[in-house]
Coordinates of all heavy atoms in Angstrom, one line a residue:
L28 N 6.8 -8.5 16.3 CA 7.0 -9.9 16.0 C 6.6 -10.3 14.6 O 7.1 -11.3 14.1 CB 6.3 -10.8 17.1 CG 6.8 -10.6 18.5 CD1 5.9 -11.4 19.4 CD2 8.3 -10.9 18.6
L29 N 5.7 -9.6 14.0 CA 5.3 -9.9 12.7 C 5.7 -8.8 11.7 O 5.5 -7.6 12.0 CB 3.7 -10.0 12.6 CG 3.1 -11.2 13.4 CD1 1.6 -11.1 13.3 CD2 3.7 -12.5 12.9
N30 N 6.3 -9.2 10.7 CA 6.7 -8.2 9.7 C 5.6 -8.0 8.6 O 5.8 -8.3 7.5 CB 8.0 -8.6 9.0 CG 8.6 -7.5 8.1 OD1 8.2 -6.4 8.2 ND2 9.6 -7.9 7.4
L31 N 4.4 -7.6 9.1 CA 3.3 -7.5 8.2 C 3.1 -6.3 7.4 O 2.5 -6.3 6.4 CB 2.0 -7.7 9.1 CG 1.7 -9.0 9.7 CD1 0.5 -8.9 10.6 CD2 1.4 -10.0 8.6
H32 N 3.7 -5.2 8.0 CA 3.4 -3.9 7.4 C 3.6 -3.8 5.9 O 2.7 -3.6 5.1 CB 4.2 -2.8 8.1 CG 3.8 -1.4 7.8 ND1 4.6 -0.6 7.0 CD2 2.7 -0.7 8.0 CE1 4.0 0.6 6.9 NE2 2.8 0.5 7.5
C33 N 4.8 -4.1 5.5 CA 5.2 -4.0 4.1 C 4.5 -5.2 3.3 O 4.0 -5.0 2.2 CB 6.7 -4.1 3.9 SG 7.5 -2.6 4.5
Y34 N 4.4 -6.3 3.9 CA 3.8 -7.5 3.2 C 2.4 -7.3 2.9 O 2.0 -7.4 1.8 CB 3.9 -8.8 4.1 CG 3.2 -9.9 3.5 CD1 3.6 -10.6 2.4 CD2 1.9 -10.3 4.1 CE1 2.9 -11.6 1.9 CE2 1.2 -11.3 3.5 CZ 1.7 -12.0 2.4 OH 1.0 -13.0 1.9
Y35 N 1.6 -6.9 3.9 CA 0.2 -6.8 3.6 C -0.1 -5.5 2.8 O -1.0 -5.5 2.0 CB -0.7 -6.9 4.8 CG -1.1 -5.7 5.6 CD1 -2.3 -5.1 5.3 CD2 -0.3 -5.2 6.5 CE1 -2.7 -4.0 6.0 CE2 -0.6 -4.1 7.2 CZ -1.8 -3.5 7.0 OH -2.2 -2.4 7.6
Y36 N 0.6 -4.5 3.0 CA 0.5 -3.2 2.2 C 0.7 -3.6 0.7 O -0.1 -3.3 -0.1 CB 1.4 -2.2 2.7 CG 1.4 -0.9 1.8 CD1 0.4 0.0 1.8 CD2 2.5 -0.7 0.9 CE1 0.4 1.1 1.0 CE2 2.5 0.4 0.1 CZ 1.4 1.3 0.1 OH 1.4 2.4 -0.7
S37 N 1.8 -4.3 0.4 CA 2.1 -4.7 -0.9 C 1.1 -5.6 -1.5 O 0.7 -5.4 -2.7 CB 3.5 -5.3 -1.0 OG 4.5 -4.4 -0.6
S38 N 0.6 -6.5 -0.7 CA -0.4 -7.5 -1.2 C -1.7 -6.8 -1.5 O -2.3 -7.0 -2.6 CB -0.7 -8.5 -0.1 OG 0.5 -9.3 0.1
L39 N -2.2 -5.9 -0.7 CA -3.4 -5.2 -0.9 C -3.3 -4.3 -2.1 O -4.2 -4.1 -2.9 CB -3.9 -4.5 0.3 CG -4.4 -5.4 1.5 CD1 -4.6 -4.5 2.7 CD2 -5.6 -6.1 1.1
A40 N -2.1 -3.6 -2.2 CA -1.9 -2.6 -3.3 C -1.9 -3.3 -4.6 O -2.3 -2.7 -5.6 CB -0.6 -1.9 -3.0
S41 N -1.4 -4.6 -4.7 CA -1.3 -5.3 -5.9 C -2.6 -5.9 -6.4 O -2.7 -6.3 -7.5 CB -0.2 -6.3 -5.9 OG -0.5 -7.3 -5.0
R42 N -3.5 -6.1 -5.5 CA -4.8 -6.7 -5.9 C -5.7 -5.8 -6.7 O -5.8 -4.6 -6.4 CB -5.5 -7.2 -4.6 CG -4.6 -8.1 -3.8 CD -5.5 -9.2 -3.2 NE -4.6 -10.0 -2.3 CZ -4.1 -11.1 -2.6 NH1 -4.3 -11.7 -3.7 NH2 -3.3 -11.7 -1.7
S43 N -6.4 -6.4 -7.6 CA -7.3 -5.6 -8.4 C -8.5 -5.0 -7.5 O -9.2 -4.1 -8.0 CB -7.9 -6.4 -9.5 OG -8.6 -7.5 -9.0
L44 N -8.7 -5.5 -6.3 CA -9.7 -5.0 -5.5 C -9.5 -3.6 -5.0 O -10.4 -2.8 -4.7 CB -9.9 -5.9 -4.2 CG -10.3 -7.3 -4.4 CD1 -10.2 -8.0 -3.0 CD2 -11.7 -7.4 -4.9
L45 N -8.2 -3.2 -5.0 CA -7.9 -1.9 -4.6 C -7.4 -1.0 -5.7 O -6.4 -1.3 -6.4 CB -6.8 -2.0 -3.5 CG -7.1 -2.8 -2.3 CD1 -5.9 -3.0 -1.4 CD2 -8.2 -2.1 -1.5
A46 N -8.1 0.1 -5.9 CA -7.6 1.0 -7.0 C -6.5 1.9 -6.5 O -5.6 2.2 -7.3 CB -8.8 1.9 -7.4
T47 N -6.6 2.4 -5.3 CA -5.6 3.3 -4.8 C -5.2 2.9 -3.4 O -6.0 2.3 -2.7 CB -6.1 4.7 -4.7 OG1 -7.2 4.8 -3.9 CG2 -6.4 5.3 -6.1
T48 N -4.0 3.2 -3.0 CA -3.6 2.9 -1.6 C -2.9 4.2 -1.1 O -2.3 4.9 -1.9 CB -2.6 1.7 -1.5 OG1 -1.5 2.0 -2.3 CG2 -3.3 0.4 -1.9
T49 N -2.9 4.4 0.2 CA -2.2 5.5 0.8 C -1.6 5.0 2.1 O -2.3 4.4 2.9 CB -3.2 6.7 1.1 OG1 -3.8 7.0 -0.1 CG2 -2.4 7.8 1.7
R50 N -0.3 5.3 2.2 CA 0.4 5.0 3.5 C 0.7 6.4 4.1 O 1.3 7.2 3.4 CB 1.6 4.2 3.4 CG 1.3 2.7 3.2 CD 2.4 1.8 3.2 NE 3.7 2.3 3.6 CZ 4.8 1.7 3.5 NH1 4.8 0.4 3.0 NH2 6.0 2.2 3.9
D51 N 0.4 6.6 5.3 CA 0.6 8.0 5.9 C 2.0 8.4 5.9 O 2.3 9.6 5.9 CB -0.1 8.2 7.2 CG 0.4 7.3 8.3 OD1 1.4 6.6 8.1 OD2 -0.1 7.4 9.4
D52 N 2.9 7.4 6.0 CA 4.4 7.8 6.0 C 4.9 8.1 4.7 O 6.0 8.6 4.6 CB 5.2 6.7 6.7 CG 5.1 5.4 6.0 OD1 4.1 5.1 5.3 OD2 6.0 4.6 6.2
E53 N 4.2 7.8 3.6 CA 4.7 8.1 2.3 C 3.9 9.0 1.4 O 4.5 9.8 0.6 CB 4.8 6.7 1.5 CG 5.8 5.8 2.0 CD 5.8 4.5 1.2 OE1 5.0 4.3 0.2 OE2 6.6 3.6 1.4
E54 N 2.6 9.0 1.6 CA 1.8 9.7 0.6 C 1.0 10.8 1.1 O 0.2 11.4 0.3 CB 0.9 8.6 -0.1 CG 1.8 7.6 -0.9 CD 0.9 6.6 -1.6 OE1 -0.3 6.8 -1.8 OE2 1.4 5.5 -1.9
L55 N 1.0 11.2 2.3 CA 0.3 12.3 2.8 C 1.0 13.6 2.2 O 2.2 13.6 2.1 CB 0.3 12.5 4.3 CG -0.7 11.6 5.1 CD1 -0.5 11.8 6.6 CD2 -2.1 11.8 4.6
P56 N 0.2 14.5 1.7 CA 0.8 15.7 1.1 C 1.7 16.4 2.1 O 1.4 16.5 3.3 CB -0.4 16.6 0.8 CG -1.6 15.7 0.8 CD -1.3 14.5 1.7
R57 N 2.9 16.8 1.7 CA 3.8 17.4 2.5 C 3.3 18.8 3.0 O 2.6 19.5 2.2 CB 5.2 17.7 1.8 CG 5.8 16.4 1.4 CD 6.2 15.5 2.6 NE 6.8 14.3 2.2 CZ 6.5 13.1 2.8 NH1 5.6 13.0 3.8 NH2 7.1 12.0 2.4
G58 N 3.5 19.1 4.2 CA 3.0 20.3 4.8 C 1.6 20.2 5.4 O 1.1 21.1 6.0
E59 N 0.9 19.0 5.2 CA -0.4 18.8 5.8 C -0.2 18.3 7.2 O 0.8 17.6 7.5 CB -1.2 17.8 5.0 CG -1.5 18.2 3.6 CD -2.5 19.4 3.5 OE1 -3.4 19.4 4.4 OE2 -2.4 20.2 2.6
E60 N -1.2 18.6 8.1 CA -1.2 18.1 9.4 C -1.5 16.6 9.4 O -2.6 16.2 8.9 CB -2.2 18.8 10.3 CG -2.1 18.4 11.7 CD -3.1 19.2 12.6 OE1 -3.5 20.3 12.2 OE2 -3.5 18.7 13.6
I61 N -0.6 15.7 9.9 CA -0.8 14.3 9.8 C -2.1 13.9 10.6 O -2.9 13.1 10.1 CB 0.4 13.6 10.4 CG1 1.6 13.8 9.5 CG2 0.1 12.1 10.5 CD1 2.9 13.2 10.0
A62 N -2.3 14.4 11.8 CA -3.4 14.0 12.6 C -4.7 14.2 11.8 O -5.6 13.4 11.7 CB -3.4 14.7 13.9
A63 N -4.9 15.4 11.3 CA -6.1 15.8 10.5 C -6.3 14.9 9.3 O -7.4 14.4 9.0 CB -6.1 17.2 10.1
E64 N -5.2 14.6 8.6 CA -5.3 13.8 7.4 C -5.7 12.4 7.7 O -6.5 11.7 7.0 CB -4.0 13.8 6.6 CG -3.8 15.2 5.9 CD -4.9 15.4 4.8 OE1 -5.2 14.5 4.0 OE2 -5.4 16.6 4.8
L65 N -5.1 11.8 8.8 CA -5.5 10.4 9.2 C -6.9 10.3 9.7 O -7.6 9.4 9.4 CB -4.5 9.9 10.2 CG -3.1 9.6 9.7 CD1 -2.1 9.2 10.8 CD2 -3.1 8.6 8.6
L66 N -7.3 11.3 10.5 CA -8.7 11.3 11.0 C -9.7 11.4 9.8 O -10.7 10.7 9.8 CB -8.9 12.4 12.0 CG -8.1 12.1 13.3 CD1 -8.3 13.3 14.2 CD2 -8.4 10.8 14.0
K67 N -9.3 12.2 8.8 CA -10.1 12.3 7.6 C -10.2 11.0 6.8 O -11.2 10.6 6.3 CB -9.6 13.4 6.7 CG -10.4 13.7 5.5 CD -9.8 14.8 4.7 CE -10.4 15.0 3.4 NZ -9.8 16.0 2.5
A68 N -9.0 10.3 6.8 CA -9.0 9.0 6.1 C -9.9 8.0 6.8 O -10.5 7.1 6.1 CB -7.5 8.5 6.0
I69 N -9.9 8.0 8.1 CA -10.8 7.1 8.9 C -12.3 7.4 8.4 O -13.0 6.5 8.2 CB -10.7 7.3 10.4 CG1 -9.3 6.8 10.8 CG2 -11.8 6.6 11.1 CD1 -8.9 7.2 12.3
E70 N -12.7 8.7 8.4 CA -14.0 9.1 8.1 C -14.4 8.7 6.6 O -15.5 8.3 6.3 CB -14.2 10.6 8.2 CG -14.2 11.0 9.7 CD -14.2 12.5 9.9 OE1 -14.2 13.2 8.8 OE2 -14.3 13.0 11.0
E71 N -13.4 8.7 5.7 CA -13.7 8.5 4.3 C -13.6 7.0 3.9 O -13.8 6.6 2.8 CB -12.7 9.3 3.5 CG -12.9 10.7 3.5 CD -11.9 11.5 2.8 OE1 -10.8 11.0 2.4 OE2 -12.1 12.7 2.6
S72 N -13.3 6.1 4.9 CA -13.1 4.7 4.6 C -14.3 4.0 5.1 O -15.0 4.4 6.0 CB -11.9 4.2 5.3 OG -10.7 4.9 4.9
R73 N -14.6 2.8 4.5 CA -15.7 2.0 4.9 C -15.3 0.9 5.8 O -16.1 0.4 6.6 CB -16.4 1.4 3.7 CG -17.1 2.5 2.9 CD -17.9 1.9 1.7 NE -18.4 0.6 2.0 CZ -18.7 -0.3 1.0 NH1 -18.4 0.0 -0.2 NH2 -19.2 -1.5 1.3

Side-chain angles (χ1 to χ4, degrees):
L28 297 176
L29 293 178
N30 188 12
L31 288 176
H32 190 250
C33 292
Y34 171 76
Y35 93 97
Y36 173 75
S37 299
S38 295
L39 290 171
S41 68
R42 304 220 187 254
S43 60
L44 296 173
L45 300 172
T47 61
T48 60
T49 302
R50 281 186 16 185
D51 66 1
D52 58 336
E53 290 181 357
E54 297 182 20
L55 282 180
R57 298 298 177 221
E59 295 291 328
E60 184 179 336
I61 293 173
E64 288 297 314
L65 288 177
L66 294 176
K67 184 178 173 187
I69 292 170
E70 291 173 356
E71 292 176 345
S72 300
R73 290 186 32 211

